Amino acid sequence: MINKTEPFKSVAVSQLKMSFWQDAARLAGLREVEQIAIIRTGLPSPTIQMAVAALNVNRHDLCSGLNLSLSTVNRRIKDGKLLDTVASERLSRLMQIALLARELFESDELAARWLSTPNGALGDVNPFTLCDTELGARQVRRILRAIEWGHAA
C-alpha cells in the first residue's frame, strides 16, 4: 500500500486514480490471511478518496452506496485514522470487483464507468453500490462473468 500520510488535497486526481488501482492490485496479490489482517486492522482512510477519484463519484455517493457513515468517514480522513473493519471490508470488496471489471474491460476508465453506471440486470443500480454486501458483490461478479462469456447484461 502506498504511504497515505501525505496531504491529499494537493494530490492530483490522476495520482489518486492510479493509487486506487495499484493498491487494489497489491491487496489482491496478498494471501487471504494477510488480506484479513489488513481488513481487521483497517484500510487507510484516504483509500476512500482514491476510490472516489477512480470511480468518478463524489464521496457522499460512494459512502451511501457502500452503506458507510459519511460523517464518520470524513472524521477519519480529517484525523488521519484507519477505517473500521466494516468499512475496510466493504472497500476491499469494491477493490476486488473493480479489478475484475478492469480485467474484463481492459481499461481503468471503462471499468470505472461500468461500476458507476446503473445496470438493468442489477435492478438499475450502480454496480459499486452492491459491494456493501457479499451477496450483492456476488451478483456483480455474475454479471461480469456473463459479459465475459458474451451474454448481454
Side-chain angles (χ1 to χ4, degrees), residues 13 15 30 39 42 48 62 106 112 120-121 124 145 153:
V13 171
Q15 179 61 38
L30 297 175
I39 289 168
I48 292 282
L62 181 73
E106 299 178 349
D124 287 323
R145 286 188 193 105

Side-chain angles (χ1 to χ4, degrees), residues 114-135:
W114 186 85
L115 287 166
S116 59
T117 301
N119 186 299
L122 295 168
D124 287 323
V125 299
N126 297 348
F128 84 83
T129 66
L130 293 173
C131 292
D132 67 331
T133 66
E134 181 54 38
L135 184 58

Side-chain angles (χ1 to χ4, degrees), residues 35-52:
Q35 291 179 33
I36 291 168
I38 287 171
I39 289 168
R40 286 181 175 162
T41 301
L43 289 172
S45 54
T47 308
I48 292 282
Q49 293 166 286
M50 293 172 4
V52 163

